[in-house]
C-alpha cells in the first residue's frame, strides 16, 4: 500500500517550507510596520459561525462528524472566525483594531480533476472599528506595500462596490434578482437578453454588465443611471476613494461594478488583486468591506465596521518561482560538533550549546556516531556545513574548516 496525503491536501518538504516562510516573513514585516498584530483563531468552528448568516454557502465548508449536537466544520476563510473572536473575546477592546493572520483554510471543491486542492494558505489583515475613506484607502495601500515587499510589480487592482451593485439590483423583480446577479457576475449577456425583463430593466442590466474599465468612464456610466440619494452618496464616496488611490500612483486600477464575490457578507468596496505576468490572469488575493458581519455574533446585534483582505500564499509562490527570489536550498548548518570518543559526549553537547547561545542564529548539529572521520567530513560537505568541531574529553575543540 502506498500512503499519500488525504485527497485535496499536500505535504510541504523543507525547501517548500523555506520558500513559504520567505513570503510570509516579508508580509509579516509589512503588517508590523502598519501597526497590525497577529491573531490566531480556531481551525475548527461551529457551522453557524462559519456560514456567517448564510453569507457563506454550506457546501463550501468541509464538515466534520461530531457526536454532540453542534455542527462543526473547518474554516473556509478567516474573516468570520476573527469577527466571532473579536465580538466574544475582545468586548472591551478599543477601536480601531488592526489584526493580521497567517493560516490555512479549507474549502470543498467539485471540479472533476482528481485530487483537487482543498487546503490553502493565506495571509491577510482585518481593520475593525473604522469606516470611511481613510480606512478603505489604508487597506488598499497596504496591499500595494505587501506586493512591493515581495518584489512584485506587474499587477493591478480590480475595485468594485458591493453596496452600489446590490442597490442597483434592487430595481429588478425579486424573483429575478438572483438570476440577474449571477448573469452579471459571469458576464453572461445571453441570459440577460433572454430573461423576462422590461426594455428599461434590460437596458439597466446591460449597463451594469459594462460597468468595468477606466474609473472615469465607469463613474460616468453609473452616474447616468436613475440613482436615489443614497446611491449617489455611495458613488461619490467611491469617486473620492478612486481619486485618492490614483493620486498615490501605487498600482493600476480597474473599476468594476459588476464584480460580485462568492462570499456575500460584503457591504461596501470589494476588490481583487490580479497578476499581469501570465497569459491567464491569476487572482493573488481578495477583500472588501463588511460593516454588518460582526453584528451577527454580538448578543445585542451591534454592528462594528470592518474591512480586510487575504492573499493566497500558493499563488504568490507560483508567481515568485520565476523571479529566483525564493530560497533555492534549505539553510545549511554552520557547525558539526563531533565527540572524538564516547567519553567526550557530554563535552560535545556542552560545546554545541555554547555555539547555539550566540546572539545571532547559529545552526549546530551533533554527530550521532557510527561513522569514521572521512565519512563525517563527506557528510559535512554534502550538507554544506562550514565547520567541524572535534571535541576532546576535556571539552577543548579542534576546529576544521571545510571552505
Amino acid at each position: 500500500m502506498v500512503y499519500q496525503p488525504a485527497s485535496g491536501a499536500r505535504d510541504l518538504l523543507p525547501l517548500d517550507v523555506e520558500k513559504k516562510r520567505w513570503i510570509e516573513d516579508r508580509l509579516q514585516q509589512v503588517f508590523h510596520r502598519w501597526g497590525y498584530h497577529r491573531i490566531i483563531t480556531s481551525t475548527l468552528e461551529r457551522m453557524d459561525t462559519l456560514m456567517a448568516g448564510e453569507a457563506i454557502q454550506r457546501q463550501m465548508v468541509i464538515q466534520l462528524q461530531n457526536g454532540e449536537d453542534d455542527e462543526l466544520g473547518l474554516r473556509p476563510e478567516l474573516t468570520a472566525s476573527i469577527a466571532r473572536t473579536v465580538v466574544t473575546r475582545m468586548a472591551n477592546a478599543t477601536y480601531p483594531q488592526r489584526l493580521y493572520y497567517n493560516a490555512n483554510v479549507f474549502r470543498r471543491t467539485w471540479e472533476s480533476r482528481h485530487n483537487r486542492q482543498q487546503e490553502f494558505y493565506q495571509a491577510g489583515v482585518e481593520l475593525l472599528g473604522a469606516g470611511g475613506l481613510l480606512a478603505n484607502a489604508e487597506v488598499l495601500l497596504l496591499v500595494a506595500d505587501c506586493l512591493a515587499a515581495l518584489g512584485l510589480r506587474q499587477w493591478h487592482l480590480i475595485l468594485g462596490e458591493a453596496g452600489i451593485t446590490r442597490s442597483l439590483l434592487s430595481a429588478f423583480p425579486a424573483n429575478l434578482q438572483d438570476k440577474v446577479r449571477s448573469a452579471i457576475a459571469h458576464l453572461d449577456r445571453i441570459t440577460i437578453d433572454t430573461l423576462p425583463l422590461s426594455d428599461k430593466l434590460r437596458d439597466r442590466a446591460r449597463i451594469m454588465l459594462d460597468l468595468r474599465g477606466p474609473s472615469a468612464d465607469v463613474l460616468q456610466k453609473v452616474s447616468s443611471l436613475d440613482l436615489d440619494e443614497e446611491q449617489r452618496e455611495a458613488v461619490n464616496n467611491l469617486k473620492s476613494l478612486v481619486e485618492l488611490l490614483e493620486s498615490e500612483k501605487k498600482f493600476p486600477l480597474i473599476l468594476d461594478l459588476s464584480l460580485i464575490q462568492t462570499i456575500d457578507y460584503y457591504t461596501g468596496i470589494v476588490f481583487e488583486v490580479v497578476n499581469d505576468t501570465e497569459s491567464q490572469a491569476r487572482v493573488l488575493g481578495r477583500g472588501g468591506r463588511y460593516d454588518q458581519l460582526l453584528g451577527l455574533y454580538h448578543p445585542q446585534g451591534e454592528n462594528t465596521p470592518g474591512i480586510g483582505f487575504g492573499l493566497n500564499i500558493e499563488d504568490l509562490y507560483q508567481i515568485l518561482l520565476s523571479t529566483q527570489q525564493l530560497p533555492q536550498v534549505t539553510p545549511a548548518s554552520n557547525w558539526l560538533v563531533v565527540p572524538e570518543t564516547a567519553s567526550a559526549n557530554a563535552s560535545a553537547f556542552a560545546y554545541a550549546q555554547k555555539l547555539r547561545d550566540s546572539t545571532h542564529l547559529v545552526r549546530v548539529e551533533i554527530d550521532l556516531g557510527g561513522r569514521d572521520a572521512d565519512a563525517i567530513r563527506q557528510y559535512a560537505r554534502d550538507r554544506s556545513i562550514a565547520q567541524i568541531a572535534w571535541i576532546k574529553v576535556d571539552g577543548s575543540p579542534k576546529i576544521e574548516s571545510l571552505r
Side-chain angles (χ1 to χ4, degrees):
M1 179 177 180
V2 178
Y3 290 92
Q4 299 286 355
S7 177
R10 67 188 182 95
D11 302 315
L12 295 179
L13 301 182
L15 183 55
D16 299 321
V17 174
E18 288 297 325
K19 292 178 179 181
K20 177 174 173 287
R21 281 187 55 194
W22 187 94
I23 297 171
E24 293 169 344
D25 288 347
R26 277 152 184 77
L27 293 177
Q28 180 173 271
Q29 290 170 18
V30 176
F31 298 154
H32 287 172
R33 286 197 294 266
W34 284 69
Y36 285 72
H37 300 274
R38 187 171 184 180
I39 186 170
I40 298 176
T41 63
S42 173
T43 305
L44 187 65
E45 293 271 14
R46 291 162 48 110
M47 284 295 294
D48 54 357
T49 295
L50 296 178
M51 292 174 62
E54 307 299 326
I56 296 174
Q57 298 175 354
R58 175 180 288 269
Q59 58 264 35
M60 182 189 296
V61 181
I62 297 176
Q63 298 182 54
L64 302 182
Q65 293 182 343
N66 180 34
E68 306 295 330
D69 293 335
D70 290 341
E71 290 186 286
L72 302 178
L74 300 175
R75 59 190 179 204
E77 50 88 61
L78 271 296
T79 302
S81 293
I82 291 175
R84 186 269 305 161
T85 302
V86 169
V87 169
T88 58
R89 303 288 305 282
M90 301 173 65
N92 297 320
T94 56
Y95 289 104
Q97 281 289 315
R98 290 178 169 88
L99 306 172
Y100 80 88
Y101 58 84
N102 179 8
N104 54 352
V105 297
F106 306 85
R107 297 194 197 106
R108 189 181 300 281
T109 54
W110 298 272
E111 285 87 346
S112 58
R113 280 183 287 172
H114 176 65
N115 204 31
R116 177 67 173 169
Q117 186 175 350
Q118 299 187 92
E119 180 181 10
F120 307 87
Y121 291 94
Q122 290 187 342
V125 307
E126 308 295 347
L127 173 56
L128 304 175
L133 173 65
L134 293 182
N136 289 346
E138 173 174 318
V139 168
L140 293 174
L141 293 174
L142 175 51
V143 170
D145 211 1
C146 286
L147 298 190
L150 298 176
L152 293 181
R153 296 289 183 269
Q154 295 178 288
W155 64 277
H156 65 272
L157 189 89
I158 300 176
L159 178 64
E161 221 288 355
I164 294 175
T165 304
R166 191 175 289 114
S167 68
L168 293 176
L169 285 169
S170 66
F172 295 89
N175 64 319
L176 295 177
Q177 284 182 16
D178 284 345
K179 292 181 179 179
V180 174
R181 180 182 187 275
S182 177
I184 291 172
H186 295 94
L187 303 179
D188 183 357
R189 295 180 183 276
I190 294 176
T191 295
I192 294 297
D193 290 343
T194 56
L195 285 173
L197 298 170
S198 67
D199 291 342
K200 181 178 180 180
L201 286 179
R202 199 179 312 281
D203 289 342
R204 184 185 186 92
R206 288 169 177 162
I207 291 174
M208 290 179 68
L209 276 172
D210 292 329
L211 293 178
R212 175 187 173 95
S215 56
D217 295 344
V218 174
L219 290 168
Q220 182 178 14
K221 286 179 183 178
V222 72
S223 298
S224 70
L225 295 172
D226 183 18
L227 304 178
D228 59 29
E229 183 177 348
E230 184 176 343
Q231 290 169 331
R232 283 195 298 273
E233 181 181 2
V235 171
N236 288 333
N237 290 339
L238 181 61
K239 181 180 179 182
S240 297
L241 175 62
V242 168
E243 290 173 348
L244 177 56
L245 295 175
E246 291 182 340
S247 71
E248 292 290 324
K249 299 180 180 178
K250 295 280 189 178
F251 47 81
L253 177 65
I254 296 174
L255 203 55
D256 184 1
L257 296 184
S258 67
L259 179 61
I260 297 174
Q261 301 286 24
T262 304
I263 295 174
D264 199 25
Y265 50 55
Y266 293 110
T267 58
I269 66 165
V270 290
F271 54 90
E272 292 183 345
V273 182
V274 182
N275 172 58
D276 291 333
T277 58
E278 296 184 337
S279 56
Q280 181 177 1
R282 183 189 292 265
V283 177
L284 303 177
R286 293 182 171 89
R289 172 163 290 284
Y290 47 89
D291 287 349
Q292 297 171 12
L293 179 61
L294 272 69
L296 296 176
Y297 307 110
H298 194 281
Q300 284 77 46
E302 294 180 9
N303 284 319
T304 299
I307 181 173
F309 66 81
L311 295 173
N312 306 319
I313 300 298
E314 282 97 347
D315 290 302
L316 292 171
Y317 177 103
Q318 293 300 322
I319 297 299
L320 289 166
L321 277 178
S322 62
T323 68
Q324 301 300 309
Q325 293 185 79
L326 297 177
Q328 301 302 305
V329 295
T330 55
S333 294
N334 305 100
W335 289 88
L336 178 60
V337 176
V338 185
E340 289 191 345
T341 65
S343 301
N345 287 346
S347 297
F349 276 107
Y351 188 82
Q353 189 58 47
K354 179 181 176 181
L355 292 172
R356 294 187 186 109
D357 287 340
S358 169
T359 55
H360 303 290
L361 173 62
V362 178
R363 302 175 189 269
V364 183
E365 295 184 26
I366 290 280
D367 181 70
L368 302 177
R371 289 181 288 206
D372 61 24
D374 288 341
I376 289 171
R377 292 186 180 95
Q378 188 59 52
Y379 169 83
R381 292 189 186 96
D382 291 343
R383 299 292 294 269
S384 300
I385 299 174
Q387 298 181 95
I388 301 176
W390 303 88
I391 307 300
K392 300 181 184 301
V393 176
D394 63 3
S396 60
K398 176 185 175 184
I399 307 303
E400 181 179 349
S401 177
L402 298 181
R403 291 184 179 176

